[in-house]
């Protein structure tokens, strides 16, 4: 890619405080589609792997998750199905707080990070330090 012609991407981020209720999920998905972004970062999804496949079908595109519980945490990155995006690598923690995607768009490699840090300041600091020093809490999958 030519440096004089950089790629432009649009990212929308939203704390959804749970997506388990179908009316709320449908409303949020509809609103997100209207934003016409390339990527959508959601926090506090309250998700698990069983729900991901159902939500992905309702979304109409790929969803990548780091699950918390059905009552707390959870982060997602949703890909807009209108854009040709190839995800080469996925990395996520085991606590529903971090997901890292390495997608490729228009022959440009990107790194996307969706981090949901704790509300309490000292926990937030420890969480951020832990990201740097504790790679054992992450799972990497090449796609």
């Amino acid at each position: 890619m030519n440096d004089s012609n950089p790629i432009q991407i649009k990212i929308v981020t939203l704390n959804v405080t749970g997506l388990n209720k179908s009316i709320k999920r449908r409303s949020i998905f509809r609103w997100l589609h209207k934003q016409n972004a390339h990527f959508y970062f959601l926090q506090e999804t309250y998700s698990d792997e069983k729900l991901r496949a159902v939500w992905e079908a309702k979304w109409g595109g790929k969803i990548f998750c780091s699950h918390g519980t059905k009552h707390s945490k959870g982060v997602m990155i949703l890909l807009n199905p209108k854009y040709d995006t190839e995800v080469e690598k996925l990395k996520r923690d085991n606590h529903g707080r971090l997901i890292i995607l390495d997608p490729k768009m228009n022959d440009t490699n990107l790194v996307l990070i969706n981090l949901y840090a704790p509300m309490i300041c000292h926990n937030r600091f420890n969480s951020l330090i832990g990201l740097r020093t504790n790679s054992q809490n992450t799972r990497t999958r090449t796609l």
Side-chain angles (χ1 to χ4, degrees):
M1 171 153 229
N2 185 329
D3 285 338
S4 63
N5 195 13
I7 186 172
Q8 293 185 8
I9 61 171
K10 181 178 178 182
I11 297 173
V12 171
T13 184
L14 184 64
N15 184 319
V16 296
T17 322
L19 286 176
N20 290 318
K21 294 185 179 176
S22 62
I23 293 171
K24 180 179 182 180
R25 184 175 54 254
R26 188 172 32 246
S27 176
I28 288 172
F29 282 3
R30 193 175 303 125
W31 182 84
L32 291 173
H33 276 296
K34 287 179 183 177
Q35 303 313 303
N36 199 32
H38 295 89
F39 306 99
Y40 306 88
F41 292 14
L42 304 183
Q43 298 86 33
E44 287 196 86
T45 56
Y46 306 170
S47 61
D48 64 28
E49 191 56 31
K50 294 175 193 169
L51 296 171
R52 188 202 54 81
V54 173
W55 294 0
E56 196 170 65
K58 299 291 183 187
W59 170 247
K62 287 286 191 186
I63 297 177
F64 298 91
C65 310
S66 174
H67 303 293
T69 72
K70 286 188 176 184
H71 305 289
S72 70
K73 303 179 196 166
V75 292
M76 291 182 172
I77 298 177
L78 292 75
L79 306 185
N80 188 326
K82 294 180 188 176
Y83 299 103
D84 185 28
T85 305
E86 178 183 327
V87 175
E88 297 178 346
K89 193 186 276 186
L90 164 67
K91 191 171 185 176
R92 56 189 166 194
D93 73 347
N94 295 321
H95 307 290
R97 294 198 177 274
L98 172 70
I99 186 164
I100 303 170
L101 279 185
D102 292 350
K104 190 173 196 174
M105 229 178 114
N106 299 334
D107 295 323
T108 301
N109 293 317
L110 305 169
V111 177
L112 303 176
I113 301 171
N114 188 358
L115 171 67
Y116 174 61
M119 291 294 292
I120 301 169
C121 287
H122 72 275
N123 287 347
R124 184 176 301 171
F125 178 76
N126 290 338
S127 181
L128 294 174
I129 295 299
L131 289 177
R132 185 170 164 228
T133 60
N134 190 0
S135 63
Q136 293 176 351
N137 284 338
T138 59
R139 302 181 306 268
T140 302
R141 188 172 84 186
T142 301
L143 304 171

